[in-house]
């Protein structure tokens, strides 16, 4: 749906925090595939900050990173701490700040098993990849992180993905301008088939709307070209909003 020009500024950090906390396993699989193979069905994922998720995406919240503690109750592996940070403006990214945050969390949680992950919504490809502190003689500290630049992923490669986060983030990936309506349709189709909860469907339809940003003409073309997807989500939206009014 087109965005209202009077709507509040988008809080990208909060939107992605909701996304990661709702689907932590799929977040780790998409944003840090190098480490995701270790996340078996026996693993338990615990957010370190138990803040309440908001009902809809759009309101302002304090910007936060998302630390996830992965535990294996049977003790087969030592707990692993994932630190996921969303960065919408690459010019604001500070590897020093990220390293400082990871060191603080490692000390707080008494662990050296920390996986830093940075999700770039936009990228200049010039973001620092590694931080090395030392002199001509020795390196005293070396720090790097897993980099996931969504713009560098091809949307077409995720057309049929069973990873819901990948489908929701299609519009943030690389695609041709003539694919915009298909990007939106594939995301909506993924949401309707991979998420059975109607409340979450409506919540993340907002997410798709925010990041695809169809204008009125594009929305009209979308409704003509993809009547099934359009009708399904429109009916869901109308039904849940009517229920909300009744409860109110």
């Amino acid at each position: 749906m087109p965005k209202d020009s009077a709507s509040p500024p988008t809080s990208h950090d909060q939107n992605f925090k909701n996304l990661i906390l709702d689907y932590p396993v799929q977040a780790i699989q998409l944003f840090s595939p190098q480490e995701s193979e270790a996340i078996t069905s026996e693993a338990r994922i615990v957010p370190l900050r138990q803040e309440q998720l908001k009902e809809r995406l759009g309101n302002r919240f304090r910007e936060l990173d998302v630390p996830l503690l992965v535990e294996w109750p049977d003790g087969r592996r030592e707990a692993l701490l994932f630190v996921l940070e969303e960065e919408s403006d690459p010019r604001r990214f500070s590897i020093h700040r990220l390293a400082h945050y990871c060191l603080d969390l490692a000390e707080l949680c008494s662990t050296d098993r920390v996986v830093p992950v940075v999700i770039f919504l936009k990228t200049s490809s010039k973001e620092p990849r590694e931080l090395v502190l030392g002199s001509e003689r020795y390196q005293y500290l070396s720090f790097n992180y897993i980099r996931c630049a969504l713009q560098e992923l091809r949307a077409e490669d995720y057309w049929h993905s069973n990873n819901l986060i990948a489908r929701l983030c299609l519009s943030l990936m690389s695609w041709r301008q003539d694919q915009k309506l298909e990007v939106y349709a594939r995301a909506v189709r993924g949401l309707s088939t991979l998420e059975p909860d109607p409340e979450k469907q409506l919540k993340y339809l907002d997410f798709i709307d925010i990041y695809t940003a169809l204008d009125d003409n594009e929305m009209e073309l979308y409704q003509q070209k993809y009547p099934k997807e359009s009708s399904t989500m429109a009916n869901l939206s109308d039904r849940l909003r009517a229920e909300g009014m009744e409860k109110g």
Side-chain angles (χ1 to χ4, degrees), residues 59-156:
N59 296 329
R60 292 184 179 181
F61 280 78
R62 185 164 60 95
E63 296 181 355
L64 294 172
D65 299 313
V66 185
L68 299 174
L69 185 65
V70 183
E71 300 175 318
W72 285 264
D74 59 6
R76 71 173 62 182
R77 295 192 63 189
E78 188 180 344
L80 193 60
L81 178 61
F82 282 82
V83 179
L84 295 100
E85 175 183 295
E86 174 275 326
E87 194 64 73
S88 55
D89 184 349
R91 296 171 300 179
R92 296 174 51 202
F93 172 65
S94 167
I95 194 170
H96 293 77
R97 182 179 65 235
L98 179 62
H100 193 287
Y101 183 55
C102 289
L103 288 170
D104 284 346
L105 273 176
E107 183 177 20
L108 178 67
C109 299
S110 301
T111 182
D112 295 329
R113 289 171 55 79
V114 179
V115 180
V117 182
V118 181
I119 307 152
F120 290 98
L121 272 63
K122 296 180 180 179
T123 176
S124 64
S125 298
K126 297 179 181 178
E127 303 86 25
R129 306 292 181 91
E130 185 179 21
L131 173 64
V132 177
L133 302 182
S135 65
E136 296 85 356
R137 187 177 297 270
Y138 296 115
Q139 289 184 4
Y140 297 99
L141 175 67
S142 178
F143 173 82
N144 54 57
Y145 59 94
I146 293 176
R147 175 179 178 273
C148 178
L150 290 174
Q151 281 186 332
E152 295 174 1
L153 303 180
R154 282 180 8 115
E156 287 182 75

Side-chain angles (χ1 to χ4, degrees), residues 1-3 180-181 184 209 212-216 218-219 222:
M1 300 174 186
K3 290 190 292 185
K180 187 173 184 179
L181 297 184
Y184 188 88
D209 286 341
T212 312
L214 300 185
D215 61 28
D216 291 338
E218 289 169 334
M219 180 57 72
Y222 166 75

Side-chain angles (χ1 to χ4, degrees), residues 5 108 116 154 210 217 235 243:
S5 60
L108 178 67
R154 282 180 8 115
I210 288 168
N217 292 333
N235 291 339
E243 290 176 0

